[in-house]
Amino acid sequence: MANLAMPTHTSTPQPPRRLIAVGIIRRHGGRTTTVRATAAGITGTIRPEVSR
């Protein structure tokens, strides 16, 4: 059987990661509230909760 050596890994520098968006979904009192924050601004919705 042949000796199959794994090639050595050459590490290249990765660009720094950026946060693109954060958000929250909350269900309370029969309503669903969604809030999303991005670099462009903050948006949100309040809707009646849908039964599943």
Side-chain angles (χ1 to χ4, degrees), residues 7-51:
T8 58
H9 178 70
T10 56
S11 179
T12 57
Q14 298 293 323
R17 291 185 174 197
R18 284 188 320 163
L19 179 64
I20 296 173
V22 294
I24 186 169
I25 298 173
R26 183 174 177 206
R27 294 175 179 90
H28 182 70
R31 294 184 183 175
T32 300
T33 305
T34 306
V35 178
R36 181 177 65 186
T38 66
I42 300 173
T43 61
T45 60
I46 300 173
R47 298 182 182 171
E49 190 168 19
V50 178
S51 60

